[in-house]
Amino acid sequence: MRYPQLSPVRHNNLFLRGFMILFFSCITIRLNLCISSIPSSLKTLPLEGHFNFDELNYAARDFGNRYQYHPMAVLQPKSVSDIAATIRHIWRMGPSSQLTVAARGHGHSLHGQSQAHGGVVINMKSITVPEMKVYTGSFPYIDVSGGELWINILRESLRYGLAPRSWTDYLHLTVGGTLSNAGISGQAFRHGPQISNVEQMEIVTGKGEIINCSREQNGELFHSVLGGLGQFGIITRARIILEPAPAMVKWIRVLYTDFTAFTSDQERLISAENTFDFIEGFVMINRTGLLNNWRSSFNPQDPVQASQFKSDGKTLYCLELAKYFNLDETNVVNQEVQNHLSHLSYISSTLFLTEVTYVDFLDRVHVSEVKLRSKGLWDVPHPWLNLFIPKSKIHNFAEEVFGNILRETSNGPVLLYAVNKSKWDNRTSVVIPEEDIFYLVAFLTSAVPSSNGSDGLEHILTQNKRILEYCERAHLGVKQYLPHYTTQEEWQAHFGPQWEVFLQRKSVYDPLAILAPGQRIFHKTISFS
């Protein structure tokens, strides 16, 4: 029997095909063996805490409620050493493991930034020691864990008659989370963001090193981490500046129909000394019955005039002000407030006031959270969009966005308030506009599940896209706060001239790109040059 002869070309093709099959089979087997060995290697680490490999669902969700990336494991650390040992172990495994690490505090990120697909999520609230410690004296401060909630810091510092100077509107967030972004609220015009009010930090880098840093000691790491989106290290401890805490707050709301008057008053107030302690604004489009809704919490200064005010679905701008005081200062503070208000151009019939405790004022958003949770409206998608807009462009922005793109604000507040750039440290990693005054504009919308209308997720995302496209088309010089991009090219455009510094810092403190993969800035094994 004669067998057909194979041509040399066909013989070579068959040989090459067989070789490739064998080659890729070996790679697959090796990769599978490598992946399967990862849990075993993590289990052998000598830790005070432990890994959880089964109950992982909560670590694959966040406040944005739009992205779900399951980790391989969740670390429940009992000490900073547990965090360092885990990262150091992954660092020593090299780039082939593909393991990444995300620190998760309260899980209030919007786009999966606290998630690590197939990696390790560290539950920062699991650290139990050391406890918070307040230091009194001429320059008081408090030392806290990176996983501590700001509401707990407030309660502890108040025991000594002290409190931090700068806040976020929502206090049930962790120190590490807000310092990795900026941490801003209505006090930022005076004291700057929270990253301007921290003196020291303890950091675990992407190599698993535990490093103490301040402006004077390891200053490059200190400034890198502040506003660094978790890219250079995990904040495990921070020293927060304190000041004497007031007992009460005089809380005021006034309305404008004229945007120029609204912004001019804000800019005048944040540039003057000794006016208000808190200044924020928000926008309301196509809303009615506003003043009646406020009456449960605020009292109109002139009830008769207030009852005659009709919003008629107009676009309204609310200026929200607060003056802190102690009870023995009531008369003086009342006179000061009246004097400051007399220089503003709001609609006189819309002056609403109330007095609350300092704690109730700072924790005001939590009251809304409790109500929304009771109605099942808290754990819904939150397609938020936060922008920093230069003062010179805010009128252009308002005309297009509030005049054409945004039709109503019924499914979440739209914040708009001015900030002084001089209160921000340009050595940190956060990106802000170049002008001396810029505005935060925050679209804090909540999507109604299964809705196809204006309150549905797709409609809101389309609206956000239109806003961003307009900003780019009009060259407004806008920068995103809590930024979200999907490509490194977009991130490079976001950072602009700061990109090279950001890249250099990454190569020093997290060269394998192990940390915070959910930001989607770098991918593990990226080559830095």
Side-chain angles (χ1 to χ4, degrees), residues 65 98 196 203 258 312 334 350 427 452 459 465 493 496 521:
N65 207 15
Q98 295 297 307
S196 295
I203 305 297
D258 183 76
D312 296 326
N334 285 338
T350 64
R427 293 171 293 179
N452 294 318
H459 176 85
K465 183 180 179 182
I521 305 176

Side-chain angles (χ1 to χ4, degrees), residues 132 134 142 150-164 167 171 242-248 326 357-360 362:
M132 287 184 283
V134 174
I142 183 170
W150 284 98
I151 182 63
N152 296 333
I153 295 172
L154 174 62
R155 290 167 178 157
E156 178 65 18
S157 58
L158 282 176
R159 293 176 55 212
Y160 301 84
L162 300 166
W167 298 96
L171 302 190
L242 302 178
E243 67 176 2
M248 301 293 294
N326 293 312
T357 66
Y358 185 57
V359 173
D360 286 344
L362 291 180

Side-chain angles (χ1 to χ4, degrees), residues 247-262:
M248 301 293 294
V249 174
K250 189 171 287 293
W251 189 4
I252 301 156
R253 285 181 178 175
V254 293
L255 289 177
Y256 297 73
T257 55
D258 183 76
F259 186 76
T260 299
F262 171 64

Side-chain angles (χ1 to χ4, degrees), residues 64 67 102 303 342 360 484 504:
Y67 298 88
S342 69
D360 286 344
H484 170 65
Q504 175 62 24

Side-chain angles (χ1 to χ4, degrees), residues 44-94:
T44 62
L45 290 177
L47 304 175
E48 298 175 54
H50 66 279
F51 283 100
N52 192 326
F53 296 94
D54 300 317
E55 299 175 8
L56 308 176
N57 287 339
Y58 82 95
R61 295 187 62 185
D62 59 20
F63 181 71
N65 207 15
R66 293 177 52 213
Y67 298 88
Q68 291 193 22
Y69 298 108
H70 282 76
M72 174 178 289
V74 173
L75 173 64
Q76 307 284 357
K78 292 299 179 187
S79 66
V80 174
S81 297
D82 286 352
I83 297 173
T86 299
I87 295 177
R88 190 162 54 248
H89 176 74
I90 295 173
W91 158 255
R92 288 172 177 169
M93 292 176 74

